């Protein structure tokens, strides 16, 4: 696929929105597609970190929410997104990863996008089998010494419980426990249902198999973009 420059110059000229639960490979695909089309990968996590690091007014307002693990209010996030996508590097399109998260965010984003000289946005929706995803995520084990990541189901160490690299003990991090992940997936589904309906009604949402091998998913997205008007 290295020689297939997908689109070439001016090829994308639209916003791509990636919607998917934690663990579905959404972030990886968003980065991959952005690279393939030569457009910025605009991730909400990176944006928050950048604003906090350079101590911008929006960053100062977002910081307390980030530190307490709460959702950063719509108005602050939208301010960051508007500022980011109005930079010249986004003029030929961009990939949004982790935004919008709520229906009001999506509605406001539409107003902003409506004023840009781009084609209608497309939404890549990662559909997953929750039971399978839960299994995949709860199988994660982390080396206590070097931080290497394993998965007891699809990437096990050579000897159980020990890191191949340095022999360190493999532990399950608190974030990877079943009840924590179940909670995260539940929150995601409740929040996303409205967003999915909103975009599906506009006919701009594409369902993708989030459980398929990553290379297949990338190829599928590229094929969809090649056909999209
Ligand atoms: Zn290790």
């Amino acid at each position: 696929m290295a020689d297939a420059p997908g689109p070439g110059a001016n090829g994308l000229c639209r916003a791509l929105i990636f919607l998917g639960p934690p663990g579905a490979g959404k972030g990886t695909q968003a980065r991959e597609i952005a690279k393939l089309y030569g457009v910025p990968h605009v991730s909400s996590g990176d944006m928050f970190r950048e604003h906090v690091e350079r101590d911008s007014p929006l960053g100062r307002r977002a910081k307390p929410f980030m530190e307490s693990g709460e959702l950063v209010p719509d108005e602050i996030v939208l301010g960051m997104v508007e500022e980011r996508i109005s930079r010249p590097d986004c003029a030929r399109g961009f990939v949004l990863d982790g935004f919008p998260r709520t229906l009001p965010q999506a509605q406001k984003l539409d107003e902003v996008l409506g004023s840009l000289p781009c084609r209608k946005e497309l939404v890549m929706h990662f559909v997953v089998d929750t039971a399978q995803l839960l299994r995949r995520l709860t199988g994660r084990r982390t080396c206590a010494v070097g931080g290497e990541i394993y998965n007891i189901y699809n990437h096990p160490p050579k000897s159980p419980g020990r890191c191949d690299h340095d022999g360190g003990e493999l532990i399950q991090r608190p974030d990877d426990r079943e009840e924590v992940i179940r909670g995260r997936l539940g929150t995601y589904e409740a929040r996303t249902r409205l967003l999915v309906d909103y975009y599906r009604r506009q006919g701009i949402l594409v369902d993708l198999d989030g459980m398929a091998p990553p290379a297949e998913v990338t190829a599928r997205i590229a094929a969809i973009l090649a056909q999209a008007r």
Side-chain angles (χ1 to χ4, degrees), residues 114-168:
S115 66
L116 297 177
C118 274
R119 289 180 275 184
K120 187 72 183 159
E121 73 264 33
L122 277 182
V123 181
M124 300 294 150
H125 176 224
F126 289 66
V127 179
V128 297
D129 175 333
T130 307
Q132 214 182 323
L133 184 63
L134 198 63
R135 203 174 103 107
R136 193 197 268 181
L137 290 172
T138 54
R140 266 168 68 105
R141 296 293 182 272
T142 308
C143 170
V145 176
E148 290 86 356
I149 292 170
Y150 296 86
N151 191 302
I152 54 172
Y153 301 113
N154 51 29
H155 175 44
K158 291 194 189 89
S159 62
R162 290 284 153 201
C163 176
D164 295 346
H165 187 65
D166 52 28

Side-chain angles (χ1 to χ4, degrees), residues 78-138:
L78 201 80
M80 292 183 187
V81 172
E82 265 193 271
E83 186 271 328
R84 179 67 190 88
I85 65 184
S86 63
R87 291 188 208 166
D89 64 341
C90 284
R92 293 193 301 108
F94 48 90
V95 177
L96 279 174
D97 174 9
F99 182 89
R101 273 179 206 253
T102 63
L103 186 57
Q105 283 182 357
Q107 288 163 333
K108 293 209 184 98
L109 176 66
D110 266 352
E111 290 171 24
V112 177
L113 292 179
S115 66
L116 297 177
C118 274
R119 289 180 275 184
K120 187 72 183 159
E121 73 264 33
L122 277 182
V123 181
M124 300 294 150
H125 176 224
F126 289 66
V127 179
V128 297
D129 175 333
T130 307
Q132 214 182 323
L133 184 63
L134 198 63
R135 203 174 103 107
R136 193 197 268 181
L137 290 172
T138 54

